[in-house]
Amino acid sequence: MKSAIRRLSWSLLLLGIAVADTQAQATAVGAWHGAILTPRGPLTLVVTIETDGGSLKGELESIDQAPGQKLPLAEIAATDSSLAFRIPVIGASYIATWHASASRWNGVFRQGAAMPLLLERGLPLTAPAIAGLDGTWQGSLNRNGVALRLILRVASGSGGTQVRLDSPDLAATDLVVEGFRRTADSVRFRVPAGDAGFQGVVSADGQSMDGSWSRASQPDVQIAFRRAQRVTPSEPLRTQWPLQSREYHSVDVAFANSRAPAVTLEGTLSLPAGAGPFPALVLISGSGPQDRDGTMFGHKSFAVLADHLVRVGIAVLRYDDRGSGRSSGDHASATSADFATDAAAAVDYLRTRTEIDQGAIGLAGHSEGGMIAPLAAAGNPAVSFLVLLAGPATGIPQMLLAQRRLIGPSTGLSAEYIEATEPLMMRVFEAAIAGDGPADAEVRVRAVLTPAVLDALGMTDVQRDAFVAQVSGSWFTHFLRYDAHQVLSRIDVPVLALGGTLDLQVPSVSNLPAMRSALAHIGDVTVVELPGLNHFFQTARTGVPSEYAELPETFAPAAMDRIARWITDRFCHVRAASDGQRATRSCGR
């Protein structure tokens, strides 16, 4: 849920397999290439494996994203019929079997999602070099009354001409461009991620490309790309980052998850100045692998929130998600229930710190974290309170459809298309929920996606395969099955639930009333809708995802103040008035 828009196993047994014998190395050693299908389009990967004494070593290069940047492989395990390795620096892994008749490795590449990857021997063909079009081109097309900006980036080098497309209004960057060709003054290219394409003509002065933009199941529209002046890119304005001088100290910490032996989490514990013990809050991120600072869209929301809370006397622990940053474990194969055990491990760690008030440890979860926090708190006597930030409380399929209705028009989808295809999307969700494991869910979802349904959705076969892999995976099916009312009914500690009026991902208009109803059995519940804030609690204009990176504010002070006051009112002490001073509330001794 960083959305569910955005989110499209490393086998532990393989970690213990010794490096293979000479025959196995002869199969795996060499250069291999293949493409993974990502939401940005197909990305070509080059894997090079060589012998190093009695073991194997290797590198991976994404020649479309970062040509020349070689990422080291770890824990390479090979036999004459299997290959596996990890790429720790990006939290990815690969597991494959040898397909003798095709002379290639058939496997799955995991990095937040599972993607098929066939590795063929040798290096990929070099892209052709296209003369005269290097630079940045800017254009705008109108789809259903919505202007959508497009930025085309063309760069030529030793590997030929590489082209990428950004769509700021769809919050999409670095989309793969295929088939970029120029014949005299004619230019054409394709964008697989959107099943879109361009055909046009370069002007005589070489400063514009005028033509038509096509997309499956939609009428062609005219677009004019203009060559942009060369400018030095500047960092977006951030009014709350970097942090000001600190009045507290932070320490790097590590703690194991006893419920998942392969997971050790690393993070930062920030402690207020003065003597403790202090109330403490564990921050839990939303969907997708995130670092301890909550870095997304150029913002560091968890670092900013932690700074605000620590300054008023609340200790804060934030950690890299499993498989991210310095934390170990496999993020791609985990579900919300697994992440809940990570949050519980953070609570266990805080209980070992003498600076922490053992009766005032809480969990704060954002978005999917607002599901994870209640899962970790239910039946856990060590958790004293919850802060749920844009946490879902309605059925997840219903929430995703509401999200689609609210955000779809800003991406150029017509109201007619959204309404007509909503029953089809619900059928897909129901098929995934009914599946008995990922394999069965995949069969059921594919059965729904008949040629007629694919045509109605405007989805190609390639897009279908990526979509099926996402919705039938263990994380997504667990996500769809989440019963907020059942989980929240088991909570028996004070709860603060916040939502923004401009949250289009977890709409507060439906989720906050459902939250209030599910928590009606608790005496101390505060549910607040904050005006003008989006899904990330930024002061927003419209709430659409394309604004997240553009807004200078990371976390609205009004929201942070509300969280801080709610906690201090319950878990900090009132100091009596003295020497004419007013009584004050403080945390710690």
Side-chain angles (χ1 to χ4, degrees), residues 280-299:
L281 191 62
V282 177
L283 302 186
I284 307 170
S285 71
S287 301
Q290 296 181 38
D291 65 22
R292 68 192 69 186
D293 290 337
T295 304
M296 292 187 70
F297 305 104
H299 290 279

Side-chain angles (χ1 to χ4, degrees), residues 255-294:
F255 50 94
N257 181 344
S258 61
R259 304 160 186 83
V263 177
T264 297
L265 302 157
E266 297 198 24
T268 298
L269 174 61
S270 297
L271 296 164
F278 303 104
L281 191 62
V282 177
L283 302 186
I284 307 170
S285 71
S287 301
Q290 296 181 38
D291 65 22
R292 68 192 69 186
D293 290 337

Side-chain angles (χ1 to χ4, degrees), residues 322-345:
R322 64 164 70 187
S324 305
R326 296 183 178 180
S327 293
S328 65
D330 181 17
H331 192 281
S333 62
T335 67
S336 302
D338 298 315
F339 299 135
T341 68
D342 294 342

Side-chain angles (χ1 to χ4, degrees), residues 36-334:
I36 55 174
L37 181 62
T38 76
R40 296 176 178 177
L43 298 177
T44 300
L45 304 180
V46 174
V47 175
T48 305
I49 299 175
E50 59 186 29
T51 58
D52 183 21
S55 62
L56 297 175
K57 67 177 183 179
E59 297 175 324
L60 178 142
E61 178 184 6
S62 177
I63 62 175
D64 295 315
Q65 290 179 304
Q69 181 179 342
K70 308 292 181 67
L71 306 179
L73 308 183
E75 299 166 354
I76 304 174
T79 72
D80 56 359
S81 61
S82 67
L83 172 66
F85 54 77
R86 294 180 61 241
I87 312 98
V89 70
I90 58 172
S93 65
Y94 181 64
I95 299 177
T97 57
W98 180 248
H99 194 278
S101 62
S103 297
R104 70 188 182 195
W105 295 105
N106 288 8
V108 175
F109 185 91
R110 295 182 180 275
Q111 188 188 20
M115 297 164 279
L117 172 60
L118 308 181
L119 288 179
E120 299 182 355
R121 188 174 291 279
L123 297 173
L125 297 175
T126 301
I130 309 297
L133 297 178
D134 280 13
T136 300
W137 301 78
Q138 298 177 338
S140 178
L141 59 86
N142 189 291
R143 184 75 73 188
N144 294 311
V146 177
L148 301 174
R149 294 168 291 166
L150 299 178
I151 301 173
L152 192 70
R153 294 179 283 110
V154 183
S156 299
S158 58
T161 298
Q162 302 292 328
V163 187
R164 290 293 179 272
L165 181 79
D166 298 336
S167 179
D169 298 306
L170 299 182
T173 59
D174 211 30
L175 300 177
V176 172
V177 172
E178 286 186 340
F180 190 84
R181 299 291 185 272
R182 177 177 184 177
T183 304
D185 292 332
S186 297
V187 176
R188 58 186 171 87
F189 60 82
R190 290 188 61 255
V191 185
D195 194 23
F198 171 79
Q199 285 189 315
V201 177
V202 181
S203 64
D205 61 4
Q207 299 303 302
S208 67
M209 292 187 290
D210 291 19
S212 63
W213 184 270
S214 60
R215 187 175 182 185
S217 303
Q218 296 189 15
D220 292 357
V221 294
Q222 295 301 300
I223 184 172
F225 285 99
R226 300 285 184 260
R227 191 189 293 272
Q229 296 298 317
R230 187 180 299 275
V231 296
T232 302
S234 57
E235 290 293 322
L237 175 65
R238 297 290 181 256
T239 57
Q240 295 166 303
W241 187 266
L243 301 175
Q244 301 301 311
S245 58
R246 301 180 180 181
E247 303 167 358
Y248 54 89
H249 67 282
S250 298
V251 293
D252 290 336
V253 301
F255 50 94
N257 181 344
S258 61
R259 304 160 186 83
V263 177
T264 297
L265 302 157
E266 297 198 24
T268 298
L269 174 61
S270 297
L271 296 164
F278 303 104
L281 191 62
V282 177
L283 302 186
I284 307 170
S285 71
S287 301
Q290 296 181 38
D291 65 22
R292 68 192 69 186
D293 290 337
T295 304
M296 292 187 70
F297 305 104
H299 290 279
K300 296 181 180 292
S301 58
F302 275 11
V304 171
L305 175 59
D307 175 75
H308 185 91
L309 297 178
V310 178
R311 291 176 186 273
V312 298
I314 302 166
V316 178
L317 174 59
R318 61 192 196 276
Y319 55 90
D320 299 329
D321 289 344
R322 64 164 70 187
S324 305
R326 296 183 178 180
S327 293
S328 65
D330 181 17
H331 192 281
S333 62

Side-chain angles (χ1 to χ4, degrees), residues 178-532:
E178 286 186 340
F180 190 84
R181 299 291 185 272
R182 177 177 184 177
T183 304
D185 292 332
S186 297
V187 176
R188 58 186 171 87
F189 60 82
R190 290 188 61 255
V191 185
D195 194 23
F198 171 79
Q199 285 189 315
V201 177
V202 181
S203 64
D205 61 4
Q207 299 303 302
S208 67
M209 292 187 290
D210 291 19
S212 63
W213 184 270
S214 60
R215 187 175 182 185
S217 303
Q218 296 189 15
D220 292 357
V221 294
Q222 295 301 300
I223 184 172
F225 285 99
R226 300 285 184 260
R227 191 189 293 272
Q229 296 298 317
R230 187 180 299 275
V231 296
T232 302
S234 57
E235 290 293 322
L237 175 65
R238 297 290 181 256
T239 57
Q240 295 166 303
W241 187 266
L243 301 175
Q244 301 301 311
S245 58
R246 301 180 180 181
E247 303 167 358
Y248 54 89
H249 67 282
S250 298
V251 293
D252 290 336
V253 301
F255 50 94
N257 181 344
S258 61
R259 304 160 186 83
V263 177
T264 297
L265 302 157
E266 297 198 24
T268 298
L269 174 61
S270 297
L271 296 164
F278 303 104
L281 191 62
V282 177
L283 302 186
I284 307 170
S285 71
S287 301
Q290 296 181 38
D291 65 22
R292 68 192 69 186
D293 290 337
T295 304
M296 292 187 70
F297 305 104
H299 290 279
K300 296 181 180 292
S301 58
F302 275 11
V304 171
L305 175 59
D307 175 75
H308 185 91
L309 297 178
V310 178
R311 291 176 186 273
V312 298
I314 302 166
V316 178
L317 174 59
R318 61 192 196 276
Y319 55 90
D320 299 329
D321 289 344
R322 64 164 70 187
S324 305
R326 296 183 178 180
S327 293
S328 65
D330 181 17
H331 192 281
S333 62
T335 67
S336 302
D338 298 315
F339 299 135
T341 68
D342 294 342
V347 173
D348 293 342
Y349 171 75
L350 287 177
R351 296 183 69 194
T352 69
R353 302 287 304 214
T354 58
E355 307 98 327
I356 303 303
D357 183 343
Q358 303 298 298
I361 298 174
L363 300 174
H366 173 253
S367 199
E368 185 194 353
M371 297 165 46
I372 296 167
L375 286 169
N380 188 343
V383 177
S384 297
F385 63 95
L386 292 178
V387 177
L388 307 180
L389 305 171
T394 64
I396 298 300
Q398 291 75 21
M399 186 198 74
L400 293 178
L401 294 178
Q403 185 182 101
R404 189 170 180 261
R405 289 192 295 271
L406 292 169
I407 296 176
S410 71
T411 69
L413 297 181
S414 69
E416 293 77 15
Y417 169 85
I418 295 171
E419 181 179 1
T421 55
E422 186 168 297
L424 303 179
M425 294 301 297
M426 179 57 82
R427 285 173 55 195
V428 169
F429 296 152
E430 290 171 346
I433 290 171
D436 183 14
D440 185 45
E442 178 178 349
V443 171
R444 291 173 181 269
V445 171
R446 285 188 180 277
V448 172
L449 296 174
T450 63
V453 170
L454 290 177
D455 183 63
L457 292 172
M459 187 180 293
T460 65
D461 289 345
V462 173
Q463 291 172 327
R464 174 202 60 198
D465 292 343
F467 179 65
V468 169
Q470 177 189 9
V471 300
S472 62
S474 56
W475 175 83
F476 200 85
T477 53
H478 184 279
F479 179 63
L480 288 173
R481 294 186 183 114
Y482 176 72
D483 186 338
H485 196 279
Q486 187 274 334
V487 174
L488 292 171
S489 68
R490 298 168 56 203
I491 300 302
D492 59 0
V493 295
V495 178
L496 170 65
L498 300 181
T501 58
L502 293 181
D503 186 346
L504 307 185
Q505 292 186 230
V506 183
S508 60
V509 66
S510 54
N511 278 274
L512 290 184
M515 183 76 71
R516 189 177 288 109
S517 174
L519 296 172
H521 62 285
I522 301 175
D524 187 357
V525 175
T526 305
V527 179
V528 180
E529 186 177 44
L530 299 171

